[in-house]
Structures are given as C-alpha cells and as structure tokens.
C-alpha cells in the first residue's frame, strides 16, 4: 500500500463540518492515503480572543504537513478581526491562487456550456499588501506593491501549470495602459517569460475588456493569469458565469505549503440542516490529491463525482425540475459518489491526472541573478496637506522657495498637474504633490542633503509635509510616472 501523506484538516464553521465529513468519507472510500491532523480555526478561535482566528499550535501542524484541507470559516464582522485566509496565505507564502471554473451543462444551468478555464491569481502583493494611510482630512491612500520576483513567480507558475495540465493558451490581464509601472511590469514579465514557452499560445488583454469577455465569451479562454485584485473579482465573475459558485474548489500554492478549499463561504443560513452541497470542498480535495501525488485517486473521485452529477443526483442548490432526478442532502450525495467510484462519466469528458502535475511550483526566482541596475536620485515629490486655497496660490508659494539646485517642476492634485498652467475646472483636494528636480533638467543627479534643505523651506513656510517620495532613474530610465498633463 502507498505511503500515507500527512495533511492538516480544519472543519471550519457553518456548513464546514458537514461538507468536510462528506468529503473525507469520499476520499477514504476512494482509497486516498491520508494521515489527518485536525486543527481548530475560525469562529471558536476568534471568540477565544485570537485576532487572526488561528492558534499558534496550528501553525506547527501546517509547517509539519505543508498541506491544508480547509473548510470555510465565518469571519466575525468588525472588532479588529483579520481575515484568516489572508493571514495563512501570506504567512506561509502561498503566492498562487488557482481556481478552475468549469460549466457542468446541461446538469447545472449556464449560458456558456463550453466554459472551462483556470484563473491563476497572484496572492500576496498588489493592493492586498494592506498598506493604507490617511494623510489629510480628505485624502486616504492604499499602496499597490508589485515586485519583479512576485510577477516572475506567478507568471512562471501559470505557464508551468498550463504545460502540466495540457492547456494550450495563457492569457495575461493587466491595466498597463493606466498603471504603466506596476501593471506594466506584470505585462513585461509575462512577455519575457512567455518566450520560454514556445509551445503555448500567449495573449494579453486590458482587464476591463478582458473581464467583459470572460462574462460574455468565457469559452475563448484557457488559463488566465492576473494580479491579485483583478483575479479576486474575476474569479467570482467566472464562477458565477459557470453557474457553479457552490461547486468550485481552489488551491493556494506556495513553495512551502499549499491550501485547498471550496470557493464558497460557511453558508450560516443552511448550517446544520444537512443540505449543503459538498462539491466545492470535494473539488478542492481533488486538487489536493493531485498536488500530493495521488493522481489515480483524484481521477477516480472526479469520475465518480461527474457521474453523480450526470445521473441527476443533486443537492438543493443545483436541483432543477426536469433536469435533476433526485434531490439529496449532503451525506446522501456523498454516498451517491461513493457508489459510483470506479465508474466513468458518460456525458462529460474523462480526466487523467498524473504525477507530472504533483506539486507544480516554481523552482527559481530569476531576478536574483539579474545584474543590479545603476540607480540615481534625480528628484523628489513632496506631498503637502494644505486646505487653504487654490492651485495657483499654492504653486506661487512653493515655487518661491530658495532651494538651489532644486526647482519646482510642477504641482499635481490627485495625480493631475494643476501648476503651472493648470485648468480652473480641475477639482483640488487638500493634498498637493510638489515635484522638484535639478534646475539643469530632469535626469540630472541630486543629493539627499539637498532634499533635506528643501524640506526645511517647507517647514519654515509652515506647510505640513505628509510624505516624501524619492525619484530615481534605473540605468537612465525614469522610475516614476509623469503627472497627468505634465
Ligand atoms: P456563502 O458562500 O457562505 O453563502 C452565499 C449563499 O450561497 C448562501 O445562500 C448559502 O446558503 C449558499 N451556499 C454557499 N455554499 C453552499 C453550499 N456548499 N451548498 C449550498 N448552498 C451554499 O457567502 P456569505 O453568506 O457571503 O458568507 C458567509 C460567511 O462565510 C461569512 O462569514 C464570510 O466571511 C465567510 N466566507 C468564508 C470563506 C472561506 O472561508 N474561504 C469564503 C467566503 C466567505
């Protein structure tokens, strides 16, 4: 008999315990070789006063097994609680979120019967770094952090995944027409790494039209790779279009640990009634079996599950008169799947997971070997809280500062240039950005002490500087965006 793989299991909240029981019963009947370590997470732990919903001892189990099968949990509203999902993903470096979105037509209603796509979402960076500030009475800020190693990991993962699973095309979504530096990097890295995968088709869409196409013609997509926020929104759209929010599973993959779950939540409205659909968690568990190198069991379970859906044995959430044959509860559904172990689907295509798909992760982060670029300080943006007047009045004050060799190039407000030569129609908030560069022209190096000298002028004038951003060039290329209208 194959050696058992240790996994950490959390039964979660709401419908979690019911669907976990059903899922584990199916896995066991299918011959999965698992050694389970059960941990407590979620509501119980939050109410014991642990703000992130997970006890320190649970981390030990996760570090030991490196594989986490997790039922949904209820996140308490307000009260300074933090999302357990975000905490585990980030603490354990699970950089890739993988979400298959497939139609199960005609057994589950959808307008896109051919839909079968995978969304691979960057999981650690972007606006989800959670770095937010209030800087003035009116202005709040959230930083979008994108790193080259972060882009390289997720994009390489997407290509490796496509190859391992026999997919043909990888599509990148970004908004690099607007965010030329952050999203621009993501797109550029996609183009660079894409050259190493000549066997795969590659394409890029701006996220807005891309998302519209996912809603309208999802069957044209195969594997999609995108940044954290876009991926979060897009994967819910895709699951909804597939008609199967209650039936989707997802994985979170890192170099050290992987977590598998359903995409839906803890459904407190139906908890304890024995009617929840265990399919989402079961799909997560199938991804887990492939990941831990038990592809034959994964294939057996998936075939039996597809056959159950085809046979019209449906839980209430997908039950439809005329299509379904029998409405069942959670455990009866699990029994129906178990009865069909060893059978193949007749309507849906068979699947064949194999060991090449086990633990698909990225071996090396290439940027570590790149030569460092020459970095030069060429200017500074100083942000000021000034609620008192117009752009012209503000610019007239700041442009008078004696800060040789630094010279005011422009003032912008909410990213739009408002001085000199601003438009009277532009709305201005109470936060102003002053861009200073060398009087001999942008690109001329400056020194840090010249910035300190400039800051003194602001303080002498009684202006409240809230933030300072250095402007650098890298091998001569500007490492900052131009102001809109600059
Ligand atoms: P939800 O997904 O729990 O429920 C939305 C609707 O779908 C409900 O009507 C529910 O009954 C139904 N539903 C969900 N799963 C089902 C299933 N397996 N079978 C049948 N019907 C199902 O979303 P929500 O109500 O917005 O969130 C409830 C709680 O879950 C919240 O506390 C939220 O924070 C949490 N949540 C947790 C996770 C997670 O742990 N990964 C994900 C999303 C939401």
């Amino acid at each position: 008999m194959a050696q058992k793989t240790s996994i950490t299991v959390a039964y979660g909240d709401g419908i979690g315990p019911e669907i976990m029981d059903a899922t584990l019963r199916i896995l066991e009947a299918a011959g999965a070789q698992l050694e389970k370590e059960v941990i407590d997470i979620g509501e119980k732990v939050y109410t014991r006063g642990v703000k992130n919903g997970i006890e320190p001892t649970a981390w030990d189990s996760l570090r030991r097994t490196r594989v986490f099968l997790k039922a949904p949990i209820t996140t308490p509203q307000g009260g300074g609680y933090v999302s357990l999902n975000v905490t585990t993903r980030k603490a354990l470096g699970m950089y890739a979120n993988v979400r298959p979105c497939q139609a199960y037509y005609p057994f589950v209603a959808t307008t896109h019967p051919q839909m079968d796509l995978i969304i691979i979402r960057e999981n650690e960076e972007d606006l989800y770094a959670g770095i937010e500030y209030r800087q003035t009475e009116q202005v709040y800020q959230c930083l979008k952090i994108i790193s080259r190693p972060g882009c390289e990991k997720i994009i390489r993962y997407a290509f490796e995944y496509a190859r391992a699973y026999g997919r043909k095309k990888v599509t990148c979504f970004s908004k690099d027409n607007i965010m030329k530096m952050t999203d621009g990097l993501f797109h550029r890295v996609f183009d660079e790494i894409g050259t190493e995968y000549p066997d795969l088709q590659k394409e890029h869409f701006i996220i807005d039209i891309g998302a519209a196409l996912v809603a309208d013609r999802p069957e044209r997509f195969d594997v999609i790779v995108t940044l954290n926020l876009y991926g979060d929104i897009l994967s819910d759209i895709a699951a909804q279009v597939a008609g199967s929010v209650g039936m989707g599973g997802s994985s979170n993959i890192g170099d050290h640990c992987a977590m598998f779950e359903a995409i839906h939540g803890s459904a407190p409205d139906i908890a304890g009634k024995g009617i929840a659909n265990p399919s989402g968690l079961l799909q997560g568990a199938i991804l887990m079996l492939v990941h831990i190198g038990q592809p034959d069991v994964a294939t057996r379970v998936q075939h039996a599950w597809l056959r159950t859906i085809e046979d019209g044995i449906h839980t209430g959430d997908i039950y439809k008169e005329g299509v379904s044959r029998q409405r069942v509860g959670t455990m009866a559904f699990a029994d129906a799947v178990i009865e069909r172990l060893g059978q193949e689907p007749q309507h849906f295509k068979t699947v064949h997971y194999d060991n090449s798909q086990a633990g698909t992760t990225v071996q090396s982060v290439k940027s570590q070997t790149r030569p460092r670029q020459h970095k030069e300080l060429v200017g500074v943006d100083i942000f000021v809280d000034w609620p008192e007047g117009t752009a012209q009045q503000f610019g007239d004050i700041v442009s008078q500062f004696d800060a040789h060799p630094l010279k005011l190039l422009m003032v912008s407000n909410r990213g739009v240039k408002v001085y000199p030569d601003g438009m009277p129609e532009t709305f201005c908030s109470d936060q102003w950005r002053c861009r200073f560069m060398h009087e001999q022209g942008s690109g001329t190096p400056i020194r840090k002490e010249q910035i300190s000298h400039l800051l003194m002028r602001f303080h002498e004038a009684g202006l409240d500087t809230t933030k300072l951003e250095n402007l650098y060039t890298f091998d001569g290329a500007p490492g900052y965006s131009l102001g809109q209208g600059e």
Side-chain angles (χ1 to χ4, degrees):
M1 192 181 283
Q3 209 190 343
K4 290 197 172 192
T5 304
S6 295
I7 64 167
T8 301
V9 171
Y11 281 77
D13 303 316
I15 58 170
E18 305 158 48
I19 59 174
M20 183 60 86
D21 270 340
T23 298
L24 291 176
R25 258 178 64 191
I26 296 169
L27 297 194
E28 202 164 306
Q33 298 300 308
L34 304 172
E35 193 73 56
K36 297 182 280 290
E37 293 186 11
V38 177
I39 59 167
D40 251 0
I41 56 164
E43 224 169 5
K44 290 194 280 290
V45 182
Y46 279 118
T47 48
R48 283 206 288 268
V50 181
K51 288 284 181 195
N52 63 9
I54 180 163
E55 299 275 12
T57 48
W59 293 113
D60 298 339
S61 171
L62 289 171
R63 278 199 201 93
R64 200 166 36 243
T65 68
R66 300 152 66 105
V67 181
F68 189 16
L69 182 62
K70 176 184 153 296
I73 59 149
T74 302
T75 312
Q77 304 285 309
Y81 298 110
V82 295
S83 160
L84 176 89
N85 283 328
V86 178
T87 307
T88 35
R89 276 178 205 157
K90 294 188 74 165
L92 298 171
M94 293 189 262
Y95 60 86
N97 179 254
V98 182
R99 221 190 237 201
C101 298
Q102 192 181 345
Y104 298 106
Y105 186 82
F107 307 100
V108 178
T110 173
T111 42
H112 297 282
Q114 304 305 322
M115 177 174 186
D116 177 15
L117 60 84
I118 309 284
I119 295 181
I120 298 185
R121 159 190 168 196
E122 199 289 315
N123 229 357
E124 297 183 291
E125 305 194 334
D126 199 352
L127 292 158
Y128 288 57
I131 307 174
E132 293 192 290
Y133 301 101
R134 179 174 182 180
Q135 291 174 318
T136 68
E137 182 68 26
Q138 297 174 347
V139 176
Y140 298 70
Q141 176 188 351
C142 175
L143 292 186
K144 172 158 171 151
I145 307 285
I146 304 292
S147 74
R148 180 171 260 278
C151 294
E152 289 180 349
K153 269 187 157 182
I154 190 69
I155 285 165
R156 192 172 291 284
Y157 181 83
F159 282 117
E160 288 295 323
Y161 182 98
R163 246 189 205 165
Y165 285 83
R167 298 275 173 164
K168 303 275 179 287
K169 181 167 74 175
V170 181
T171 306
C172 173
F173 283 177
S174 78
K175 186 78 181 170
D176 65 337
N177 55 332
I178 302 295
M179 283 159 280
K180 296 184 190 336
M181 302 206 63
T182 48
D183 284 34
L185 174 67
F186 194 81
H187 187 177
R188 210 162 54 245
V189 169
F190 177 77
D191 289 344
E192 279 169 26
I193 291 183
T195 60
E196 296 174 36
Y197 298 84
D199 47 317
L200 295 169
Q201 293 170 45
K202 285 143 289 232
E203 63 180 0
H204 171 269
F205 281 105
I206 299 294
I207 179 68
D208 33 12
I209 187 62
L213 282 173
V214 167
D216 191 44
R217 281 194 279 144
E219 50 288 329
R220 73 169 302 296
F221 294 103
D222 196 351
V223 173
I224 293 173
V225 63
T226 190
L227 296 112
N228 203 343
L229 175 64
Y230 310 142
D232 193 1
I233 298 167
L234 196 68
S235 52
D236 272 23
I237 295 175
Q240 185 72 31
V241 172
S244 57
V245 180
M247 291 167 64
S250 86
S251 57
N252 293 277
I253 306 286
D255 293 334
H256 312 290
C257 197
M259 176 167 85
F260 303 86
E261 59 185 337
I263 64 175
H264 59 74
S266 57
D269 52 334
I270 56 166
K273 295 185 177 162
I275 58 171
N277 187 349
S279 299
L281 186 59
L282 185 65
Q283 288 302 315
I286 291 169
L287 297 173
M288 177 190 79
L289 289 171
V290 177
H291 179 83
I292 62 177
Q294 300 189 23
D296 297 344
V297 188
T299 305
R300 258 163 78 73
V301 174
Q302 182 67 344
H303 283 171
W305 179 78
L306 287 169
R307 188 62 187 263
T308 309
I309 298 294
E310 286 178 353
D311 285 349
I313 303 186
H314 296 165
T315 44
D317 55 313
I318 58 165
Y319 184 88
K320 198 161 175 240
E321 216 55 65
V323 177
S324 310
R325 275 195 17 236
Q326 199 185 340
R327 182 196 289 263
V328 290
T330 313
M331 278 307 162
F333 181 84
D335 290 339
V337 176
I338 291 168
E339 272 168 32
R340 286 164 181 73
L341 286 167
Q343 297 182 27
E344 290 197 342
Q346 293 180 320
H347 172 88
F348 294 120
K349 276 195 253 158
T350 53
V351 295
H352 293 285
Y353 299 118
D354 66 58
N355 260 324
S356 70
Q357 296 151 345
T360 310
T361 55
V362 181
Q363 271 69 31
S364 66
V365 177
K366 277 198 143 190
S367 61
Q368 285 167 348
T369 57
R370 293 164 67 90
R372 283 189 75 80
Q373 296 182 315
H374 180 62
K375 179 180 174 188
E376 215 146 37
L377 181 66
V378 296
V380 64
D381 279 353
I382 295 174
F383 292 72
V384 179
D385 180 353
W386 193 72
E388 278 145 53
T390 64
Q392 188 65 40
Q393 289 164 338
F394 181 74
D396 286 346
I397 297 170
V398 176
S399 61
Q400 297 308 311
F401 288 166
D402 175 13
H404 170 78
L406 293 178
K407 185 171 169 244
L408 181 72
L409 196 70
M410 64 139 184
V411 176
S412 73
N413 196 298
R414 298 191 306 164
V416 181
K417 190 186 98 172
V418 292
Y419 182 93
D421 310 323
M423 310 253 280
E425 293 84 2
T426 308
F427 173 79
C428 289
S429 74
D430 57 4
Q431 188 195 45
W432 308 81
R433 175 178 63 155
C434 313
R435 175 161 292 180
F436 283 84
M437 290 190 140
H438 200 290
E439 58 201 10
Q440 284 171 10
S442 52
T444 311
I446 65 163
R447 295 195 313 274
K448 283 264 169 72
E449 59 268 29
Q450 292 166 340
I451 296 178
S452 310
H453 179 69
L454 171 64
L455 273 175
M456 285 309 295
R457 304 285 85 80
F458 278 85
H459 298 161
E460 285 158 12
L463 292 176
D464 178 12
T465 54
T466 53
K467 173 178 137 97
L468 179 150
E469 199 76 57
N470 288 342
L471 308 180
Y472 295 102
T473 56
F474 292 82
D475 283 351
Y480 48 89
S481 58
L482 296 181
Q484 288 156 353
E486 186 181 342

